[in-house]
């Protein structure tokens, strides 16, 4: 299911020593749809949040807030190495 | 057909009961829910109606589809002039009572007059009885439901009722069915209390026959098969509305300390699911999203019968009062549900008083000695008790924040967060402007389901844009935009939400907030009614109900000046990503309201143009 070698679970293999890594945290309900609440992803130029979501088969519309290093961004923003991405589920109505 | 063709009319002053028969043309025009409710309110209300007087008709009306085996269509509306806003009062509930009324043979109940002594209505399969409720008066909701079911010897009876707060006419008392489903807003429980009407008990065994029951079964199976796979539907099922707390907090829009901050440092605790049990649902609903909480720790015990705090309650009584102790919020929620108090207005009225206390506008000499500081969790439960009983300082707070401000003095007014006298729900227009339009335009005061919510329309990938493209909303709109695109989105979806309301649809079952798409709903309407219909006709039914609501408010003396936001929303949040920035400009916002009027065919004064009334078949309102 998660075949792309760029995506490696934080709690399994750590073979990226010395390489730039993106930390991705899935918040709250989004954790139901991914194998771990936090994953490490190998960085490469042009990597976007959308690419990460596609890897985990999460529709972009399910994400209500993208924080990259604590700053709100869109799913299409190009990530920088060593960034931390936090993804929150969409919410509206109560 | 999906309707019974019968409206039950009860005069509590004379103890007379009448059944009014209606034909298909009536349902084709007004459908159900607030369409039918407004028809009767407009025909039977005077222009100077006293909300707590005998001349204020009180209507209970399920949606057109309510009672059918259609997924997530359990809703009914209660309507009357609101004692909180002195405008149209309307509030919907899910649960089980609405479908039961349809099965008992009625499409609505219109209650006029006031009983000289406490009574309850007993409706069973077309038979109606006004029964003495003296022995139930003063009882909490759990005891009352048990008492009625025992007295009538049927555990399947559905009871819509008020607790002591409704009897005492707290101006934001609500109505509950099945102990955990609320007609929460606008103080309609106080209207029941003023009529000495404790409860309406209903038992029915035959829903109106659908034209094509097989097709309804297919639609129901589709929803059951797809709920666990749908990104939004499954999140609602697993986490309910409390699943939104962390998102809104990270966005910087979680109402905190009377809407001052936007960020609550301890939101994690409020979002905890440690006391949550398996969720419960409503009639014929595969989503099953209603939270159930049980606590049996130390001095705080919370009974699962009364549900659990939803997002609105966690924020209103929690973060907005500076409280992050989930046990206190859950207990306050349970007490509100035992007494029938609207948790939004209650929390907001307390948070307003807290802000006034912190600013030195009021002191302990005004508050019965209570230290009303943000975060002081010791005051919450005593205040709920005082408000429900209208004792001491609680009597003042039982009238809502706007009336409390009249007593606190003009200095306090800048801390009010209400529209038309109703306290705002837990969505900050300073991070999503469409909520501001909803609050301002809603006929019944600040209401967060007048239209759909901005986040679903923020990007081209948003479920709002994807699903509402069927209605012509094909482009994303920025959450803070107040231009024509935003106004159009709010206008179109306000018509949709109004159509949902006449049908009895729950927002948590249908797009854009959940899984069932518009084409399946249209198919369900056709299969239930046998009508040759489409979304065009349904949207027009929604628009007709909105126009009737505007006309009702105009007759009660409201005008364009009442469609405004509290000044606090034009100031900046003190914390979070939007902290220190003005995000909502008054002039631009008012231009957006005026643009909505133009799109809707409303006059500059806030009424409805003659040509729009003609178009909607409402010329009779001018006669």
């Amino acid at each position: 299911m998660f075949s792309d070698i760029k995506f490696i679970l934080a709690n399994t293999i750590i073979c990226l020593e010395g390489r730039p890594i993106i930390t991705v945290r899935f918040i709250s309900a989004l954790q139901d749809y991914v194998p771990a609440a936090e994953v490490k992803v190998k960085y490469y130029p042009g990597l976007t949040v959308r690419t990460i979501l596609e890897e985990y088969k999460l529709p972009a519309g399910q994400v209500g807030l993208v924080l990259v290093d604590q700053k709100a961004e869109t799913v299409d923003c190009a990530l920088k190495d060593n960034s931390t991405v936090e993804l929150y589920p969409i919410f509206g109505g109560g | 057909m999906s309707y019974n063709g019968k409206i039950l009319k009860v005069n509590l002053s004379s103890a007379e009961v009448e059944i009014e028969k209606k034909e298909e043309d009536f349902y084709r025009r007004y459908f159900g829910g607030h369409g039918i409710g407004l028809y009767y309110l407009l025909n039977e209300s005077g222009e100077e109606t006293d909300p707590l007087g005998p001349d204020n008709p009180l209507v209970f009306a399920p949606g057109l589809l309510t009672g059918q085996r259609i997924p997530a269509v359990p809703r009914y509306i209660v309507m009357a002039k609101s004692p909180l806003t002195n405008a149209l009062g309307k509030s919907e509930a899910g649960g089980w009572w609405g479908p039961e009324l349809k099965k008992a043979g009625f499409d609505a109940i219109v209650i006029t007059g006031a009983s000289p002594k406490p009574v309850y209505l007993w409706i069973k399969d077309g038979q109606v009885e006004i029964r003495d409720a003296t022995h139930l008066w003063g009882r909490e909701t759990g005891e009352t439901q048990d008492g009625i079911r025992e007295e009538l010897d049927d555990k399947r009876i559905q009871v819509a009722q008020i607790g002591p707060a409704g009897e005492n006419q707290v101006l934001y008392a609500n109505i509950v069915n099945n102990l955990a489903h609320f007609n929460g807003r606008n103080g309609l429980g106080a209207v029941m209390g003023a009529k000495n009407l404790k409860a309406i008990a209903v038992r029915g065994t035959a829903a109106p026959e659908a034209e094509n029951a097989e097709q309804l079964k297919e639609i129901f199976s589709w929803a059951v098969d797809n709920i666990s796979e749908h990104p939004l539907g499954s999140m609602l099922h697993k986490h309910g509305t409390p699943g939104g707390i962390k998102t809104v907090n990270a966005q910087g829009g979680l109402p905190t300390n009377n809407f001052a901050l936007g960020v609550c440092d301890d939101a994690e605790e409020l979002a905890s699911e440690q006391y949550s049990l398996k969720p419960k649902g409503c009639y014929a609903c595969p989503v099953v999203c209603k939270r159930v909480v049980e606590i049996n720790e130390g001095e705080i015990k919370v009974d699962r019968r009364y549900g659990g705090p939803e997002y609105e309650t966690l924020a209103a009584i929690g973060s907005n009062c500076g409280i992050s102790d989930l046990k206190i919020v859950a207990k306050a929620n349970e007490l509100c549900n035992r007494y029938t108090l609207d948790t939004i207005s209650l929390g907001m009225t307390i948070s307003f008083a807290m802000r006034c206390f912190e600013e030195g506008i009021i002191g302990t000499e005004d508050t019965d000695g209570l230290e009303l500081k943000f975060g002081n969790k010791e005051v919450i439960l005593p205040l709920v008790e005082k408000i429900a009983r209208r004792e001491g300082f609680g009597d003042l707070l039982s009238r809502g924040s706007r009336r409390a401000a009249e007593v606190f003095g003009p200095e306090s007014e800048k801390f009010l967060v209400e529209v038309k006298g109703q306290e705002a729900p837990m969505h900050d227009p300073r991070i999503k402007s469409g909520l501001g339009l909803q609050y301002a335009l809603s006929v019944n005061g600040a209401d967060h389901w007048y239209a759909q919510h901005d986040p679903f329309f923020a990007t081209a990938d948003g479920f709002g844009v994807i699903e509402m493209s069927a209605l012509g909303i094909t482009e994303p709109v920025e959450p803070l935009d107040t231009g024509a695109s935003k106004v159009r989105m709010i206008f179109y979806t306000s018509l949709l939400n109004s159509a949902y309301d006449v049908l009895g649809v729950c927002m948590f079952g249908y797009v854009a907030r959940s899984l069932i798409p518009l084409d399946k709903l249209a198919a369900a309407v056709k299969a239930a009614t046998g009508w040759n219909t489409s979304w065009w006709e349904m949207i027009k039914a929604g628009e007709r109900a909105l126009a009737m609501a505007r006309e009702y408010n105009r007759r009660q003396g409201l005008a364009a000046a009442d469609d405004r936001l509290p000044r606090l929303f034009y100031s900046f949040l003190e914390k979070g990503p939007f902290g220190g920035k003005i995000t909502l400009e008054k002039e631009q916002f008012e231009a957006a309201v005026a643009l909505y009027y133009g799109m809707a065919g409303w006059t500059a004064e806030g009424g409805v143009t003659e040509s729009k009334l003609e178009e909607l078949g409402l010329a009779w309102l001018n006669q």
Side-chain angles (χ1 to χ4, degrees), chain A residues 27-30 32-33 50 59-62 64-65 67 75-76 88-94, chain B residues 231-232 234-235 238-239 241 243-244 246-248 250-251 311-312 449 453 455 461 463 508 513:
Chain A
I27 309 296
S28 187
L30 291 182
D32 298 342
Y33 305 88
R50 184 184 293 279
Q62 196 170 1
L65 176 66
L67 292 182
V75 292
D76 292 314
Y88 290 79
I90 191 149
F91 181 72
Chain B
L232 302 182
S234 61
M235 284 201 295
K238 290 175 184 166
H239 303 279
T241 58
K246 287 183 192 172
T247 297
V248 183
Q251 287 170 328
Y311 167 81
E312 298 291 335
W449 272 124
H453 283 222
D461 305 306
F463 285 96
F508 291 160
R513 185 66 182 86

Side-chain angles (χ1 to χ4, degrees), chain B residues 309-568:
Chain B
E310 300 284 348
Y311 167 81
E312 298 291 335
T313 307
L314 291 169
I317 299 180
S319 57
N320 204 41
C321 291
I323 307 289
S324 57
D325 186 327
L326 180 57
K327 287 195 284 188
I328 292 291
V329 178
K331 185 65 190 178
N333 179 70
E334 184 221 63
L335 291 177
C336 286
N337 297 355
R338 286 174 183 269
Y339 304 152
T340 57
L341 285 163
D342 170 20
T343 56
I344 298 175
S345 280
L346 175 121
M348 285 290 291
T349 302
I350 292 174
S351 73
F352 168 71
M354 284 177 158
R355 182 70 195 250
C356 292
F357 187 91
E358 296 225 343
E359 296 287 332
I361 296 168
I362 58 172
T364 49
E365 66 280 8
D366 304 299
T367 66
D368 302 338
L370 295 171
E371 288 278 335
L372 284 192
K373 291 187 172 165
F374 288 121
N376 184 3
K377 62 185 182 183
E378 304 300 324
V379 302
I380 297 295
L381 302 181
L383 275 175
V384 175
E385 299 283 356
K386 279 174 171 284
I387 289 168
R389 295 191 194 118
R390 294 183 56 180
E391 285 176 2
F393 187 57
D395 183 37
L396 178 58
L397 297 191
S398 77
R399 293 174 237 162
S401 56
R402 190 161 78 178
R403 288 174 178 83
E406 289 167 10
V407 176
F408 294 170
E411 263 187 282
S412 69
E413 288 174 7
K414 58 180 175 286
F415 303 121
L416 280 171
V417 192
E418 51 76 32
V419 181
K420 301 182 179 77
Q422 175 161 269
E423 292 74 17
M426 299 296 106
H427 307 269
D428 199 319
R430 289 170 291 186
I431 72 160
K432 35 189 180 180
S433 63
L435 263 296
L437 287 167
Q438 297 197 38
Y439 291 170
L441 291 162
S442 173
V443 283
N444 49 308
D447 181 340
H448 60 291
W449 272 124
Y450 181 76
Q452 298 279 320
H453 283 222
D454 311 54
F456 298 98
F457 297 84
T459 66
D461 305 306
F463 285 96
V465 178
I466 292 169
E467 297 292 352
M468 297 302 162
S469 60
L471 297 180
I473 303 172
T474 56
E475 300 287 336
V477 195
E478 287 284 328
L480 287 172
D481 191 349
T482 51
S485 297
K486 176 59 65 69
V487 177
R488 188 185 306 113
M489 185 280 273
I490 292 295
F491 175 50
Y492 284 6
T493 63
S494 65
L495 302 183
L496 174 72
N497 281 16
S498 183
Y500 278 176
D501 289 350
V502 297
L503 293 169
V505 160
C506 176
M507 306 293 174
F508 291 160
Y510 288 79
V511 295
R513 185 66 182 86
S514 193
L515 80 159
I516 307 171
L518 296 178
D519 60 346
K520 289 223 181 290
L521 181 55
V525 175
K526 286 185 192 178
T529 60
W531 296 346
N532 175 23
T533 189
S534 72
W535 270 106
W536 172 263
E537 185 182 17
M538 289 185 269
I539 287 288
K540 282 293 162 190
E543 186 176 17
R544 186 175 297 115
L546 285 186
M548 291 165 81
R550 295 298 299 190
E551 175 62 13
Y552 179 90
N553 269 7
R554 191 194 64 74
R555 292 183 186 184
Q556 298 301 329
L558 279 84
D562 295 294
D563 292 346
R564 51 96 195 134
L565 286 184
R567 68 177 96 161
L568 186 139

Side-chain angles (χ1 to χ4, degrees), chain B residues 1-6 65-69 98-107 123-126 156 202-210 283:
Chain B
M1 290 193 302
S2 204
Y3 54 86
N4 293 292
K6 289 179 187 169
L65 301 182
T66 304
Q68 298 291 328
R69 291 286 297 174
E100 199 73 21
L101 184 69
K102 289 289 278 285
K103 290 179 183 180
F106 298 107
D107 301 318
I123 300 166
K124 185 179 182 187
D125 285 330
R156 291 166 297 182
V202 182
R203 180 79 182 105
T205 53
E209 203 167 314
Y283 174 84

